[in-house]
Amino acid sequence: MTVETTPILLDIRQDVALLTAALMDINSVSGNEAALADAVESALRTIPGLQLVRDGDAIIARTELGRPERVILAGHLDTVPLPSVEGSLGTVPSTWESGVPGTGILYGRGATDMKGGVAVQLALAATMFDGGAEPGKDVTFVFYDHEEVEAVKSGLGRLVRNHGHLLEGDFAILLEPTDGTVEGGCNGTSRFEATTVGEAAHSARAWMGSNAIHAAAPILSRLAAYEPRTVNVDGLDYRESLNAVKINGGTAGNVIPDRCVVEINYRFAPDKTPDQAEAHVRELLEGFDVVRTDAAAGARPGLNHPAAASFVAAVGAEPKPKYGWTDVARFSELGVPAVNFGPGDPLLAHKDNEHVDADAIRECLRALRSWLAD
């Protein structure tokens, strides 16, 4: 028996902060984006002048005005899982600290990462043709699923494979939270497993075995002593980090472990390829069995591109580097210069008290609307 659900109607012409709350109130944890994608698609189909393509829970909406310049505005629909801590504010539905919708601080999952940015995209799409007006640039809006999980599931990656020609453009803006400041490029990221092997034995006769966990101590010592570098790339300083993020070993409380795996994450500046980053980790951990399990290249800032330079000038704040990995790297691989720019403090992303100021969302919308009109 098929259970029919009532479609969720989004008013994308309402105040952009209220729209943010409405988006947050639709549970869209990675893998559960369908309801939100349906609502976004339905809202976009009411806008004359947009050509839509739906692929799974990802949507591309494009103007075709024949402008000499095309800008891409992209944002992901999914969030990380809801917090399990009792009394957390990072919940669904959202809440207003003031008790007055649209006023002050908005709490809830996705407040910064990145329902405010998605709301700005929708608000721009809803109003760009008002009163017979037209944007000064052709615009491609991209909304996609599965950003907060492993790269192989990425909705943007799927769009690149299936509809890459629709993602061509002169400049891309990813509306990730940046506190209203342009953040150029992004660090790359890679993951490794460093494995030590011992010999199992009863812990009462430990001398009969060889402890693989103890053998991993030098790995941890080298990582603890490692001094991360700060690398200047095209005028922005990217701070790197190299850390053990998980360790696994042992089978029982009375058995000397015969295997131990240390999982390592390296965030590297965009002056390196993933292979160069791997060579750096292997050099540090020489003598140990190291396997790369995942990698994603970073992206150079690209702020010397005319469209990027004009956008930075329109925003007015000094650009900063993006330390984390974002999908600007995917656009960079397509040959499209890209930056991060969106409402909300990125340091609050994924936290149990995730929140955003309503006026920060409105200011982001104002800046983009003004720039697109030129």
Side-chain angles (χ1 to χ4, degrees):
M1 178 179 177
T2 302
V3 178
E4 294 187 3
T5 58
T6 303
I8 299 171
L9 300 179
L10 279 178
D11 177 8
I12 58 176
R13 287 184 167 276
Q14 65 183 309
D15 173 76
V16 70
L18 295 176
L19 176 56
T20 300
L23 294 171
M24 291 167 59
D25 291 346
I26 305 172
N27 189 325
S28 56
V29 172
S30 303
N32 191 39
E33 301 98 327
L36 181 53
D38 289 346
V40 168
E41 179 187 10
S42 295
L44 291 172
R45 289 199 181 278
T46 67
I47 304 171
L50 286 181
Q51 297 184 4
L52 264 66
V53 172
R54 172 89 179 248
D55 185 319
D57 290 330
I59 301 153
I60 299 174
R62 292 164 48 98
T63 64
E64 295 290 353
L65 302 172
R67 299 289 190 259
E69 187 176 50
R70 177 172 291 278
V71 174
I72 301 170
L73 302 178
H76 62 84
L77 299 176
D78 60 323
T79 71
V80 296
L82 305 183
S84 58
V85 179
E86 186 175 350
S88 168
L89 294 170
T91 57
V92 172
S94 58
T95 57
W96 290 95
E97 184 180 50
S98 66
V100 180
T103 302
I105 305 300
L106 174 62
Y107 281 92
R109 180 58 80 224
T112 55
D113 194 11
M114 55 173 293
K115 294 301 190 287
V118 172
V120 169
Q121 290 177 268
L122 291 170
L124 287 168
T127 59
M128 64 169 47
F129 297 110
D130 280 2
E134 290 184 347
K137 307 167 180 65
D138 265 310
V139 185
T140 301
F141 296 96
V142 184
F143 305 86
Y144 58 99
D145 57 292
H146 284 91
E147 191 271 350
E148 299 288 7
V149 290
E150 55 268 36
V152 70
K153 294 182 179 180
S154 167
L156 183 56
R158 187 178 66 251
L159 289 176
V160 170
R161 293 190 299 273
N162 297 344
H163 308 282
H165 64 289
L166 297 180
L167 298 177
E168 295 174 356
D170 299 289
F171 180 53
I173 300 171
L174 190 65
L175 279 93
E176 290 276 5
T178 64
D179 239 353
T181 298
V182 174
E183 292 186 344
C186 69
N187 274 341
T189 181
S190 54
R191 292 178 175 83
F192 304 87
E193 290 184 348
T195 302
T196 55
V197 177
E199 182 179 354
H202 196 294
S203 61
R205 294 175 289 279
W207 60 88
M208 298 298 294
S210 176
N211 195 311
I213 292 179
H214 292 179
I219 296 174
L220 300 178
S221 294
R222 294 184 198 180
L223 292 171
Y226 179 81
E227 295 186 4
R229 295 178 289 189
T230 297
V231 183
N232 186 281
V233 181
D234 299 341
L236 297 182
D237 290 332
Y238 291 85
R239 184 174 179 177
E240 298 189 332
S241 63
L242 178 58
N243 292 280
V245 292
K246 188 186 294 185
I247 186 166
N248 182 45
T251 57
N254 60 353
V255 177
I256 298 300
D258 60 356
R259 189 171 186 270
C260 180
V261 178
V262 180
E263 294 187 26
I264 299 161
N265 183 213
Y266 181 28
R267 300 288 177 143
F268 54 91
D271 66 325
K272 301 177 187 63
T273 65
D275 287 346
Q276 290 170 330
E278 179 178 352
H280 181 66
V281 173
R282 288 188 178 280
E283 180 180 9
L284 178 69
L285 299 179
E286 184 178 1
F288 290 96
D289 178 19
V290 176
V291 175
R292 188 174 82 185
T293 59
D294 188 30
R300 301 182 78 93
L303 298 181
N304 56 347
H305 188 279
S310 72
F311 181 62
V312 169
V315 172
E318 186 73 19
K320 299 178 181 179
K322 171 63 78 175
Y323 295 129
W325 187 91
T326 74
D327 277 311
V328 297
R330 294 189 189 275
F331 288 109
S332 180
E333 288 179 355
L334 293 173
V336 181
V339 299
N340 306 276
F341 174 75
D345 184 346
L347 298 180
L348 295 173
H350 304 181
K351 293 182 72 68
D352 287 350
N353 67 336
E354 187 176 358
H355 60 271
V356 65
D357 190 300
D359 286 340
I361 308 171
R362 297 182 183 113
E363 176 57 24
C364 178
L365 174 61
R366 185 208 61 76
L368 277 167
R369 181 175 282 154
S370 174
W371 178 69
L372 286 173
D374 290 341

